[in-house]
C-alpha cells in the first residue's frame, strides 16, 4: 500500500475521495517487480497508443524555437467548446519527446476524459533545428515559462494544469518553486522526479546502474546534440563532449557550461527540486517508488513535503523509474497511468474543493 505524505487534511481527504488509487494497494507485476527490471522492461512491454499530433513551432526571446505537439481532441463530446476545454501540458523526461509510450498513454487517458493535451519538447530533440547554440537543462525554466504563457494566452478560459515525468517533473517543480502562486496552472502531477541530483548521480554511478542506465543515457544525450554539432561547435569543444562516459561528465563539459554555472556542483544544486519544494504554491501530487535508482528513496524530501500544505507525496515500495507495471501482462495501463487519470480528472472536475486550501 502506498505511503501518502501530506500535511493538509483537506488535500488528503480530496485525494481519498476523488483520487482513491493513491490509497489502494499497488501490486507490481510478479515476474518483474524489482525496480531496475521494471525500469528496463516498461518501454518494451507497454503498448503505444496511436496519437495524431498537430505540431507548432514557437519562437523564444533569445531567437530559438520550441516544438509543441498538440492533441486538440476536437471530437470531445464532454467539452465541445475548444475555448473552455481543459488543457494538460505534458513534460517528457531527459531525452524524451511526444513519442514516448508514457506520454502517449497520458494522452490516451486524457482523450477518454475529453481533455486537450500539449507536449513540450525540449529544444533540439524533436526533429526541429537549433537556431541558437542552446539546448535545455533541469534548472533553467525560461523555455517552460514561455510555453506556459503561450498555451494560456491561446486558451485563457480553459482550465490548465501540467504533468511532468522524470526530468520533466524536475523542471516543472523548479518552475513551481520559482513562481509560487503566480502561475496560470491550477495544479500539477509529478512522476519519478529526481529530487536531489547529487544523490541521483551517485546512485547511477554504481557499477551495475552505470552499466544498465548511465552509459546508455549518456549516449542518448550525445546523440541528441550530435545532429546540431555545427551550431554547438561555436561554443563547445564537441570532441570532448562526445567522449563523456557518464551523465556527470556530460553535464560538466556541456550542460553546466551552457547555462553559465561556475561548477557542476552549482548546477546540480540549482537543478535539485528538493531545494524549492517549500515555495510551491499550487496543489501538486508527486508519485515516486522508493526502489527507483534514478531517485533513491532516502533522497525523497518527506519532511520538507510535510511543511507545505500544497504538496502530497505518494510513495510505493516497488515500481522503479517510470515503471509501475501491474497485472500479469502489463501491456496497457500502469499504476502511474491510473494516478495520472484520476488526479487530472479530480482537479478539473472537483478542484474547487482544494483551491481554498
Amino acid at each position: 500500500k502506498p505511503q501518502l505524505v501530506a500535511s493538509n487534511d483537506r488535500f488528503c481527504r480530496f485525494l481519498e475521495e476523488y483520487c482513491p488509487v493513491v490509497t489502494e494497494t499497488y501490486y507490481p507485476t510478479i515476474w518483474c517487480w524489482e525496480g531496475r527490471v521494471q525500469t528496463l522492461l516498461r518501454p518494451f512491454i507497454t503498448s503505444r497508443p496511436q496519437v495524431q499530433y498537430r505540431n507548432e513551432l514557437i519562437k523564444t526571446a533569445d531567437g530559438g524555437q520550441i516544438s509543441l505537439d498538440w492533441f486538440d481532441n476536437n471530437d470531445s463530446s464532454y467539452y465541445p467548446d475548444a475555448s473552455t476545454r481543459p488543457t494538460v501540458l505534458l513534460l517528457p523526461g531527459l531525452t524524451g519527446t511526444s513519442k514516448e509510450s508514457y506520454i502517449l498513454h497520458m494522452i490516451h487517458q486524457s482523450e477518454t476524459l475529453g481533455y486537450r493535451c500539449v507536449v513540450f519538447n525540449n529544444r533540439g530533440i524533436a526533429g526541429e533545428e537549433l537556431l541558437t547554440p542552446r539546448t535545455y537543462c533541469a534548472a533553467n525554466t525560461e523555455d517552460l515559462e514561455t510555453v506556459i504563457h503561450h498555451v494560456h494566452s491561446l486558451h485563457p478560459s480553459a482550465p490548465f494544469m501540467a504533468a511532468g515525468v522524470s526530468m520533466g517533473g524536475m523542471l516543472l517543480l523548479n518552475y513551481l518553486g520559482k513562481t509560487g502562486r503566480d502561475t496560470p496552472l491550477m495544479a500539477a502531477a509529478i512522476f519519478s522526479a529526481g529530487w536531489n541530483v547529487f544523490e541521483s548521480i551517485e546512485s547511477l554511478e554504481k557499477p551495475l546502474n552505470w552499466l544498465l542506465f548511465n552509459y546508455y543515457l549518456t549516449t542518448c544525450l550525445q546523440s541528441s546534440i550530435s545532429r546540431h554539432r555545427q551550431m554547438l561547435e561555436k561554443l563547445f569543444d564537441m570532441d570532448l563532449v562526445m567522449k563523456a562516459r557518464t551523465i556527470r561528465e556530460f553535464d560538466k563539459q556541456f550542460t553546466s557550461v551552457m547555462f553559465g554555472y561556475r561548477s557542476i556542483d552549482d548546477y546540480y544544486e540549482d537543478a535539485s527540486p528538493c531545494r524549492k519544494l517549500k515555495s510551491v504554491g499550487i496543489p501538486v501530487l508527486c508519485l515516486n517508488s522508493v526502489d527507483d535508482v534514478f531517485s533513491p528513496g532516502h533522497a525523497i524530501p518527506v519532511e520538507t513535503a510535510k511543511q507545505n500544505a500544497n504538496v502530497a507525496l505518494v510513495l510505493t515500495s516497488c515500481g522503479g523509474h517510470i515503471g509501475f507495471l501491474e497485472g500479469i501482462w502489463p501491456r496497457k495501463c500502469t499504476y502511474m497511468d491510473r494516478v495520472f487519470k484520476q488526479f487530472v480528472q479530480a482537479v478539473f472536475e472537483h478542484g474547487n474543493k482544494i483551491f481554498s486550501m
Side-chain angles (χ1 to χ4, degrees):
K1 193 167 184 177
Q3 179 187 359
L4 178 59
V5 179
S7 64
N8 189 322
D9 289 340
R10 182 178 294 178
F11 199 180
C12 271
R13 289 195 301 273
F14 175 84
L15 291 172
E16 288 166 359
E17 182 172 357
Y18 298 110
C19 189
V21 65
V22 303
T23 65
E24 297 169 3
T25 302
Y26 162 56
Y27 295 100
T29 297
I30 191 70
W31 51 269
C32 66
W33 58 268
E34 202 270 340
R36 281 174 291 220
V37 180
Q38 284 242 356
T39 304
L40 288 167
L41 290 183
R42 183 205 52 78
F44 301 103
I45 290 178
T46 52
S47 62
R48 304 178 66 83
Q50 289 295 312
V51 174
Q52 197 70 37
Y53 287 119
R54 171 177 63 85
N55 184 256
E56 179 187 19
L57 292 174
I58 63 172
K59 291 291 186 284
T60 61
D62 69 331
Q65 63 180 356
I66 300 169
S67 174
L68 300 179
D69 281 320
W70 289 85
F71 174 73
D72 296 300
N73 206 2
N74 288 325
D75 296 328
S76 171
S77 56
Y78 296 109
Y79 300 96
D81 182 356
S83 67
T84 56
R85 186 176 302 143
T87 304
V88 187
L89 173 64
L90 300 175
L91 287 72
L94 185 60
T95 56
T97 67
S98 58
K99 297 177 182 177
E100 304 304 319
S101 62
Y102 56 82
I103 293 291
L104 298 175
H105 276 272
M106 287 178 167
I107 291 173
H108 177 67
Q109 301 286 359
S110 301
E111 180 183 16
T112 63
L113 297 169
Y115 307 149
R116 168 174 49 222
C117 292
V118 54
V119 185
F120 166 36
N121 297 295
N122 285 302
R123 289 198 204 193
I125 63 169
E128 83 284 7
E129 293 301 316
L130 273 188
L131 302 182
T132 61
R134 168 177 164 164
T135 56
Y136 60 94
C137 77
N140 189 290
T141 62
E142 292 171 4
D143 283 0
L144 178 55
E145 290 167 36
T146 298
V147 168
I148 288 174
H149 173 75
H150 174 73
V151 173
H152 182 59
S153 67
L154 291 178
H155 307 287
S157 301
F160 187 24
M161 68 174 292
V165 181
S166 192
M167 195 212 76
M170 296 165 66
L171 181 64
L172 183 53
L173 282 166
N174 285 330
Y175 160 80
L176 293 174
K178 178 181 176 182
T179 57
R181 289 186 178 273
D182 187 21
T183 173
L185 298 175
M186 300 169 64
I190 311 291
F191 301 100
S192 295
W195 288 97
N196 184 317
V197 181
F198 295 100
E199 298 290 346
S200 295
I201 290 296
E202 186 175 328
S203 172
L204 286 169
E205 287 178 347
K206 292 178 179 177
L208 182 57
N209 295 338
W210 177 85
L211 189 66
L212 293 175
F213 306 109
N214 198 327
Y215 180 70
Y216 171 73
L217 269 177
T218 305
T219 60
C220 287
L221 285 165
Q222 291 166 328
S223 176
S224 72
I225 63 172
S226 62
R227 190 169 65 87
H228 309 290
R229 185 168 184 137
Q230 193 171 358
M231 172 64 73
L232 295 169
E233 275 179 334
K234 298 174 182 178
L235 293 181
F236 301 96
D237 181 344
M238 291 299 289
D239 288 333
L240 194 59
V241 173
M242 299 306 282
K243 288 177 182 175
R245 290 295 173 265
T246 65
I247 295 171
R248 187 195 299 266
E249 290 176 4
F250 180 89
D251 286 339
K252 182 178 181 179
Q253 300 296 341
F254 186 77
T255 316
S256 62
V257 178
M258 172 175 285
F259 289 94
Y261 290 96
R262 289 181 303 171
S263 70
I264 189 171
D265 285 355
D266 287 345
Y267 165 50
Y268 282 170
E269 188 172 338
D270 198 26
S272 299
C274 59
R275 296 176 62 249
K276 305 185 181 77
L277 194 59
K278 289 181 182 177
S279 305
V280 170
I282 62 170
V284 175
L285 179 67
C286 308
L287 174 65
N288 281 88
S289 171
V290 297
D291 70 351
D292 181 351
V293 299
F294 288 77
S295 185
H298 66 266
I300 298 172
V302 173
E303 294 308 314
T304 308
K306 290 177 180 176
Q307 297 170 31
N308 188 335
N310 293 299
V311 176
L313 303 181
V314 178
L315 308 177
T316 61
S317 56
C318 305
H321 187 70
I322 328 174
F324 302 102
L325 300 173
E326 57 186 358
I328 296 300
W329 184 240
R331 235 180 88 90
K332 294 187 177 178
C333 197
T334 68
Y335 180 76
M336 181 178 115
D337 296 330
R338 294 197 292 131
V339 172
F340 168 82
K341 182 178 183 179
Q342 288 190 17
F343 184 65
V344 169
Q345 184 175 22
V347 168
F348 284 146
E349 298 181 15
H350 308 284
N352 59 311
K353 296 184 179 174
I354 49 172
F355 298 136
S356 57
M357 291 192 301

